[in-house]
Amino acid sequence: MPSLTFYGGVGEIGGNKILLEDERKRIWFDFGMSFAQSGRYFAEFLQPKKYNGVLDFLEMDLLPGLSDMGGFYREDYLSHAAMETWDKAAYDAVFLSHAHADHSFYIHFIRREIPIYASEVTRQILAAIETTSTSGFTDFLTFKETFKLTSKKRGEGQTRLIGEKAKVPRDFRVIEEGGKVLIGDIAIEALAVNHSLPGALGFIIHTSRGAIAYSGDLRFHGYGGGLTRRFVERAAEAEPIALICEGTRINETESLTEQDIQDRAGKVVQQTKNLAIVNYPWKDIERMRSFYEVARASKRRLVVSLKQAHLLKMLEGTDAQAPPLDDDHIAIYIDRKNWGLVTKLDYPRNIIEQDYENWEREFLDHPNRVTCEDIRRHPSDFIIRIDFFALADLIDLRPAEGSCYIRSMTEPLDEEAEIELWRVENWLRHFGLYPYEQIHASGHASGSEIKRLIEDIDPKLVFPIHTEHPEQFQEIVPRGTKVVIPERGREYRI
Ligand SMILES: [Zn+2]
Ligand SMILES: [Zn+2]
């Protein structure tokens, strides 16, 4: 008999960690970080200690304390913390719905031989985060053996195993959209859905007792909304016994569409005489496309950050539908770093290069590169993305009167942490960018759309997750559908 246990995403937005057990197989659906739980204890300068491995995360209830942790969490961390390790993995696979932190980041902590399944786009986004992040907890595709010793190259004795030699690839497997994966007798069908980052999947899990559908995070109002509608149709055909459904916006009715964003931002930019500054999540490719279209229509260029340039490069050749890096309406912002030499032409190239990480260097000579000086000279030629953590770049950019700031962010809980808004507002006031424009479309379906989705799929059971208001599902489900509000760590037999 199949059973489901929810270790995260329960009464909170994100942190999904769902365990399915059936036919002696044990499969995770998402293994993400809970921003709410993490934010209760940790902040930018108050972080878990690397030397404790999983201990700090278990202590603060960020990772589930399982009875068979020795067969699940990574052995290097467990043995360094004097915890029991098993010879074999106690779990069969992890399926990731998408690359947002609240669904995927804690795969860092699991044994490297446990297969991880995700879409090609999710794989590329995770690779881009792994390369560009400075956090020590991003072993998504490449497992870096930690706390290990190795013989010295020269002379006697041992030294720490670090660098290339410590790296081992994880068993990361790409699922085709519309494809099926068999784990024992359980077939898992992956279907693309639309969300605020590309590559998102919903799943239909064919268990011994019938199908269970899992929404992941989804919306209907993006450019790729048709994908979500197809997921709903396919899930309905499977006549599922249960639906695990996200409910981020269960008590909200209205949704701006991605097209609305394009139209509204377009108007603001048309009226802007100088520099247009925008802030949207760096991985949200549909939002990037919206601003790219605004840039084309206003004969400007959309300036992306180095991190975004790297992501766009990783997404080339995938179906993410990202704007190409060498497009006439795209520019790559080489921000000043370290010694700030990129604007000082009398320094030799190799010295300038030292301001940048390896992965950034390839963009230094890109035909579409721009620096703060290019933008200062021709501010009305550009729309630049400056996020809250890059606000100090405004000192280099010196936006003149007649510039604008458009805030176009998704729910902070579902994305990267935000700094306090009052501090942001101080920056914007200082540079005459206040009041700013707030133009945003959510990455999630509204309450009425979720109601339709449940009516169309018509499952016997609904498990509301990824929501602070699971009880509201009771008011929207059709008669004959039972809502089960999951409790954390409790096993539900289906
Ligand atoms: Zn989420
Ligand atoms: Zn998400």
Side-chain angles (χ1 to χ4, degrees):
M1 186 186 279
S3 77
L4 289 169
T5 313
F6 299 84
Y7 289 98
V10 175
E12 59 178 346
I13 296 172
N16 289 16
K17 299 176 204 70
I18 307 159
L19 177 65
L20 169 89
E21 295 171 278
D22 188 28
E23 305 279 295
R24 278 173 293 145
K25 293 291 171 195
R26 313 175 75 205
I27 307 167
W28 290 94
F29 288 87
D30 286 337
F31 204 69
M33 160 188 188
S34 160
F35 288 105
Q37 186 66 6
S38 179
R40 257 173 222 135
Y41 302 104
F42 295 110
E44 204 184 348
F45 298 106
L46 176 59
Q47 291 288 326
K49 299 290 187 195
K50 183 90 180 183
Y51 59 74
N52 271 335
V54 290
L55 283 183
D56 293 5
F57 293 84
L58 289 170
E59 174 74 32
M60 282 9 219
D61 221 4
L62 298 179
L63 286 173
L66 307 161
S67 57
D68 49 12
M69 289 192 279
F72 186 50
Y73 293 127
R74 45 194 292 175
E75 292 167 275
D76 53 351
Y77 282 16
L78 294 181
S79 37
H80 195 65
M83 293 166 75
E84 190 196 358
T85 63
W86 293 15
D87 294 341
K88 272 172 62 187
Y91 295 83
D92 298 285
V94 180
F95 285 76
L96 299 181
S97 64
H98 61 291
H100 272 151
D102 60 320
H103 295 256
S104 59
F105 270 23
Y106 284 174
I107 59 171
H108 170 86
F109 295 101
I110 70 172
R111 291 167 76 109
R112 72 175 164 78
E113 76 271 34
I114 297 177
I116 294 164
Y117 292 87
S119 69
E120 172 64 10
V121 169
T122 293
R123 190 172 80 100
Q124 297 297 353
I125 298 173
L126 289 175
I129 297 168
E130 191 170 303
T131 304
T132 60
S133 163
T134 50
S135 146
F137 297 101
T138 52
D139 291 4
F140 304 144
L141 278 74
T142 309
F143 189 97
K144 296 168 203 83
E145 292 273 9
T146 314
F147 314 125
K148 293 270 161 74
L149 299 179
T150 180
S151 321
K152 274 187 177 169
K153 242 191 206 155
R154 285 186 206 92
E156 298 279 293
Q158 292 192 305
T159 182
R160 295 179 187 203
L161 179 70
I162 49 163
E164 287 306 310
K165 278 210 269 176
K167 291 182 182 172
V168 199
R170 280 190 182 275
D171 187 356
F172 204 104
R173 306 182 188 188
V174 167
I175 337 167
E176 296 296 318
E177 281 153 20
K180 243 184 209 174
V181 174
L182 272 177
I183 306 289
D185 293 331
I186 307 164
I188 294 106
E189 222 179 314
L191 292 147
V193 294
N194 186 237
H195 183 41
S196 48
L197 104 171
L201 298 173
F203 296 107
I204 300 169
I205 310 147
H206 299 274
T207 73
S208 57
R209 287 292 175 95
I212 298 173
Y214 171 40
S215 66
D217 283 355
L218 48 71
R219 65 174 181 180
F220 294 88
H221 53 266
Y223 299 126
L227 297 173
T228 308
R229 282 184 282 278
R230 239 176 27 225
F231 165 74
V232 173
E233 275 166 32
R234 185 62 204 99
E237 281 163 27
E239 297 180 1
I241 46 173
L243 168 67
I244 304 163
C245 189
E246 77 121 313
T248 316
R249 296 178 66 236
I250 188 71
N251 56 1
E252 291 169 48
T253 46
E254 188 202 354
S255 298
L256 280 191
T257 67
E258 208 53 48
Q259 186 63 47
D260 293 334
I261 302 297
Q262 209 187 111
D263 299 343
R264 293 187 187 194
K267 280 195 190 113
V268 173
V269 172
Q270 289 294 0
Q271 287 160 11
T272 299
K273 290 196 297 288
N274 268 311
L275 184 60
I277 306 168
V278 296
N279 187 14
Y280 59 94
W282 71 280
K283 307 187 288 290
D284 187 343
I285 297 295
E286 289 212 338
R287 189 60 43 84
M288 186 192 284
R289 273 171 65 194
S290 295
F291 285 112
Y292 166 78
E293 291 302 334
V294 171
R296 277 168 53 115
S298 57
K299 302 201 168 52
R300 292 181 184 238
R301 298 169 76 192
L302 180 65
V303 187
V304 299
S305 65
L306 281 165
K307 215 160 139 174
Q308 288 184 302
H310 180 74
L311 176 65
L312 290 179
K313 212 190 102 204
M314 300 296 283
L315 292 177
E316 273 169 15
T318 70
D319 52 12
Q321 301 190 332
L325 261 185
D326 52 8
D327 189 281
D328 288 347
H329 290 281
I330 292 284
I332 302 166
Y333 182 45
I334 315 291
D335 55 333
R336 296 172 71 206
K337 294 187 174 195
N338 296 313
W339 287 24
L341 298 184
V342 72
T343 48
K344 302 200 180 201
L345 299 171
D346 40 341
Y347 279 88
R349 157 77 198 221
N350 69 309
I351 305 288
I352 295 175
E353 219 180 66
Q354 286 180 310
D355 277 343
Y356 297 91
E357 302 286 333
N358 276 333
W359 63 267
E360 296 172 311
R361 292 180 186 175
E362 67 172 297
F363 301 111
L364 298 180
D365 299 316
H366 196 284
N368 275 349
R369 67 158 238 164
V370 291
T371 65
C372 55
E373 289 187 346
D374 302 313
I375 296 170
R376 264 200 326 254
R377 266 195 298 270
H378 307 284
S380 61
D381 287 355
F382 299 102
I383 301 176
I384 185 169
R385 176 182 172 278
I386 297 287
D387 71 27
F388 293 158
F389 296 100
L391 284 166
D393 285 9
L394 292 175
I395 297 171
D396 286 341
L397 291 167
R398 307 211 156 278
E401 212 189 312
S403 300
C404 73
Y405 189 91
I406 302 173
R407 181 172 182 249
S408 187
M409 296 296 288
T410 50
E411 296 76 2
L413 278 174
D414 197 29
E415 257 294 320
E416 296 125 89
E418 277 195 54
I419 65 170
E420 293 91 342
L421 205 57
W422 61 264
R423 191 176 284 126
V424 174
E425 292 180 0
N426 284 344
W427 277 92
L428 299 183
R429 270 196 202 94
H430 181 89
F431 285 100
L433 297 165
Y434 195 85
Y436 58 85
E437 302 282 339
Q438 167 76 27
I439 307 175
H440 164 61
S442 169
H444 303 274
S446 67
S448 43
E449 289 168 325
I450 294 170
K451 181 172 188 286
R452 266 282 300 278
L453 175 147
I454 295 172
E455 284 165 3
D456 290 349
I457 296 180
D458 192 24
K460 292 192 179 62
L461 294 175
V462 175
F463 291 93
I465 55 153
H466 203 284
T467 175
E468 289 170 346
H469 308 284
E471 71 291 342
Q472 298 234 343
F473 275 69
Q474 260 139 1
E475 283 150 43
I476 60 158
V477 297
R479 223 189 295 188
T481 298
K482 193 177 157 211
V483 176
V484 182
I485 297 174
E487 284 168 44
R488 207 182 153 95
R490 183 173 156 187
E491 187 181 347
Y492 295 88
R493 288 175 186 278
I494 302 199

